[in-house]
Amino acid sequence: MRQQRAGRQSQSSPKKSLPFRAAGRSYCLGATLSLLSAQVMAAKPASFYDMGYAIPQAINPVGDVLVGVDTRGAFRWTPASGYTRLKLGPLAPIYTSMIPMGVSADGDTIIGSATSVDDRRDAFIWTRESGKWTSIGSLNGGTLTIPRGINYAGDVVVGEAEDGHDRLKWAAFRWTRSGGIESLGYLNGGWLSQATAVNAAGDVIVGDANNGPGNRVPRVAFRWTREGGMQSLGSLHGPQGLSRATAVNAAGNVVAGYSAQSDNEGWQAFRWTQQTGMKSLGNLNGGLESWASGINASGDVIVGTAYDGATENNQPRAFRWTRDGGMQSVEQWLSAAGVKISDDMHTYGATAVNGDGTIVTGRLQSGDAFIARVPINQPNTPAPEPGLIGIRDYLNSLYAMGGESKLPLQEQRMVLHGAHGSPLQNLLIQGQKFVRANGDTGQTGSADTRLRRNSGEIGVGYGVTPTLQLQLAVGRTDSRQQLPWNGSARHSGTYVLPELVWQSIPDLFVSVSGYYNHGNADIRRGYSNAGLASSSTGTTNSATSSLRLRFDMRNALRLGAVDISPYASITWSRMKMNDYREQGGPFPAEFDARTMHDRILRLGTSATLITRQDIEIDGSAEIGYRINEMPRINVSGTIPGLGNFSISGADTERRIWPRIGLGLTSPLRQGMLSAMLNATKREGHVGYWLASAYSVHF
């Protein structure tokens, strides 16, 4: 079932090319979120992240180690340690670049392909223990060696290499630590073979090779074992047909790929076993061609790309094939599980499938990567809802949680520098007391991420000595923010604010203010599910503590009837938001606890003009400066069933920012009423709030 929504995604026209090819052990998808959050981490910071130039090359089966290349070269990434640069080291004078091509199951062994200054291509292996790249050698002194896959243990590497004894030949190879590079040979006297994937144990290798001598012989898929050597898997179209093997299951007894009558047309995805031989997977709703690119651990689920005959002009779609259900588009697979799909969302192709075949990843027509899931119900274990997420949108929704973590700190700033932003307003003589009610209200942000904040408190003060007074306030805060995809966040808390004001020398006042807020957050994180709005909800607690030291020089300067009082303050803050687990929706997340520290210096001046009616006109202007680095909040956690994610917060706040305020103070009955409107531009939008107070001295 499909539904229309506003805002069409861009669509790409079908291309007459092989859309996707799986690399190495394609039967294990692992935690694709780990891979894709690394893409986000490499992007340029913005209000939300866009995909930047980072090319993931491989991910280990567990899903907690990713290798790839970006603008700075090769990298290894884990959620725990983040980026590790896989530097060329001593190879740098000879080689210009290194591209990781595969990673072992434990993530501690990586294979890479390096290009030299004289255009050699050589294969290297990196281990976590050594921390350096080591050549795996060449085939009889050949100048081109390209690794394609690595097994679970990291002790078998496969690929293709130029044969130094006959440079007109390219051979598939298998490398081991003990035996080095060995050629897997050729088919029927041919001159070219290449290995594309290896099974878990490293004893079954698949690829394709010329099926005989000469340039006009067809290339066909092969399967290699130590006992049987290289064996042709044939084709779907007889001796003259073509075929390519792209994936092999964990045991090595099921192979997937594609076959055609000629190089230009007629490609059909296939599944091969020893018992059945090569069998076509059929077509997608009468479409013309299909290509298999991934296989699950047992070999009974295959994914890839196919032209869909049910679409106008045979558009390419991601497919999922099973023995019982045949070939379905991912959209059909999801619809059968009850997922509503937007008319504007279309898959383009599938690249990999997880071990049990319940998760498929690939690309949308919009260019975004996707993850689709239809969970299997387990006894006594609640299964998540089925669905499909576009990775860019989904990771942006996770990234937005970093902004929600700042809500408690933003409340603290409003209270300390709003209602408590003028310590000279309520000075007491010895033995004098006051009772005061304060409140702040304001908002900031764009129309779709509007943030509204409110606070209110009751406070008392007492003049202990002629130069010392103590104050105490208790209050509540409440913040509400809109989030993309109809999401929202609300944080409310109770705070206590003790304060000391000391007159150290005439007209120099030193104040020390403490702040502690224990709060609760209710968050609805919105995201796209198959192009339509969906959400998951969570609840957590927060604790925010701050200490402010401030110096005010009362009436240091007089300009006509205006008294000028400069001030300076420094504030130390710490906020912690506890971990929590979301409920509901197709892709709920579990978020780790987050902590943020802040040290801010403020320099400013206040101005007071007293009118004949005893009304004060108050003004203030200040510059804020962040002493510590920009406050980045790393959003990390787990997507159940997919794996870990870790996203670094962007530099959304300025290092230096202004604030101005304008207000009035007037006698009212037995007390004084004051109000000041403040405006600042700390982030991308102007924020403003109104601080008001009513106090009675006695």
Side-chain angles (χ1 to χ4, degrees), residues 507-560:
D507 294 323
L508 176 61
F509 292 82
V510 180
S511 59
V512 180
S513 308
Y515 175 91
Y516 178 79
N517 186 318
H518 182 273
N520 300 297
D522 296 307
I523 302 170
R524 185 175 77 243
R525 182 175 59 87
Y527 51 88
S528 166
N529 178 28
L532 300 172
S534 186
S535 64
S536 299
T537 60
T539 300
T540 187
N541 300 320
S542 69
T544 307
S545 55
S546 300
L547 179 67
R548 182 185 70 181
L549 178 63
R550 175 165 166 155
F551 301 88
D552 286 83
M553 181 62 73
R554 182 176 59 179
N555 302 336
L557 179 65
R558 189 174 183 86
L559 298 176

Side-chain angles (χ1 to χ4, degrees), residues 341-471:
I341 302 173
S342 167
D343 285 339
D344 299 322
M345 192 223 68
H346 303 289
T347 61
Y348 182 81
T351 55
V353 60
N354 72 327
D356 64 8
T358 60
I359 302 173
V360 177
T361 185
R363 202 180 98 197
L364 298 173
Q365 277 197 347
S366 64
D368 193 9
F370 75 81
I371 295 176
R373 175 171 66 184
V374 177
I376 299 174
N377 292 321
Q378 301 290 343
N380 303 320
T381 303
E385 299 175 19
L388 179 149
I389 49 173
I391 299 303
R392 182 184 295 118
D393 285 341
Y394 189 79
L395 290 180
N396 279 339
S397 76
L398 297 176
Y399 167 82
M401 295 303 99
E404 303 323 299
S405 300
K406 297 179 181 179
L407 290 181
L409 271 182
Q410 292 171 330
E411 293 171 348
Q412 167 262 323
R413 295 164 185 166
M414 181 177 68
V415 172
L416 272 183
H417 306 289
H420 288 264
S422 301
L424 299 183
Q425 274 195 341
N426 285 284
L427 295 179
L428 301 172
I429 62 175
Q430 184 174 5
Q432 192 178 20
K433 308 176 187 67
F434 73 70
V435 176
R436 179 176 62 191
N438 290 358
D440 294 273
T441 183
Q443 69 176 34
T444 188
S446 60
D448 58 346
T449 59
R450 184 74 66 197
L451 169 62
R452 292 179 171 85
R453 294 170 292 181
N454 299 282
S455 69
E457 68 175 51
I458 295 294
V460 295
Y462 177 67
V464 180
T465 72
T467 60
L468 178 66
Q469 70 182 60
L470 300 177
Q471 302 171 185

Side-chain angles (χ1 to χ4, degrees), residues 105-370:
D106 62 8
D108 289 345
T109 305
I110 300 168
I111 55 172
S113 177
T115 303
S116 69
V117 293
D118 57 354
D119 291 331
R120 286 178 57 95
R121 289 282 298 279
D122 291 316
F124 289 83
I125 192 165
W126 179 96
T127 64
R128 187 179 180 187
E129 181 181 2
S130 69
K132 64 181 181 180
W133 293 101
T134 303
S135 172
I136 69 171
S138 62
L139 185 59
N140 303 321
T143 60
L144 295 171
T145 307
I146 303 174
R148 297 291 184 187
I150 186 171
N151 73 328
Y152 261 40
D155 54 9
V156 177
V157 178
V158 302
E160 69 257 21
E162 180 189 63
D163 189 341
H165 289 169
D166 187 346
R167 296 188 183 277
L168 296 178
K169 288 187 174 183
W170 280 72
F173 73 79
R174 179 179 187 267
W175 174 92
T176 62
R177 296 185 187 279
S178 57
I181 286 185
E182 59 175 329
S183 170
L184 300 186
Y186 306 93
L187 282 176
N188 303 319
W191 58 273
L192 182 147
S193 62
Q194 60 179 5
T196 55
V198 59
N199 74 328
D203 56 4
V204 178
I205 299 168
V206 299
D208 56 83
N210 280 7
N211 195 18
N215 294 324
R216 296 181 178 273
V217 296
R219 288 173 64 177
V220 295
F222 73 77
R223 176 177 179 268
W224 178 97
T225 64
R226 175 69 68 184
E227 297 78 14
M230 186 179 292
Q231 300 291 326
S232 170
L233 303 185
S235 80
L236 294 174
H237 304 281
Q240 297 304 310
L242 311 176
S243 60
R244 307 277 191 274
T246 56
V248 60
N249 72 329
N253 57 5
V254 184
V255 181
Y258 41 88
S259 178
Q261 286 185 325
S262 71
D263 230 348
N264 296 322
E265 61 182 351
W267 291 102
Q268 295 290 311
F270 73 76
R271 179 178 184 267
W272 176 96
T273 68
Q274 191 74 50
Q275 294 76 23
T276 64
M278 186 178 292
K279 296 294 183 181
S280 171
L281 301 187
N283 56 43
L284 186 57
N285 303 318
L288 300 177
E289 296 181 275
S290 59
W291 300 265
S293 55
I295 191 169
N296 74 329
S298 62
D300 56 4
V301 178
I302 295 173
V303 299
T305 304
Y307 288 113
D308 187 352
T311 63
E312 185 177 355
N313 298 323
N314 275 279
Q315 296 290 315
R317 295 286 185 263
F319 78 76
R320 180 181 182 271
W321 177 94
T322 64
R323 280 185 290 184
D324 296 333
M327 185 179 292
Q328 291 181 301
S329 68
V330 166
E331 288 91 330
Q332 290 173 321
W333 177 50
L334 293 170
S335 292
V339 178
K340 297 178 181 179
I341 302 173
S342 167
D343 285 339
D344 299 322
M345 192 223 68
H346 303 289
T347 61
Y348 182 81
T351 55
V353 60
N354 72 327
D356 64 8
T358 60
I359 302 173
V360 177
T361 185
R363 202 180 98 197
L364 298 173
Q365 277 197 347
S366 64
D368 193 9
F370 75 81

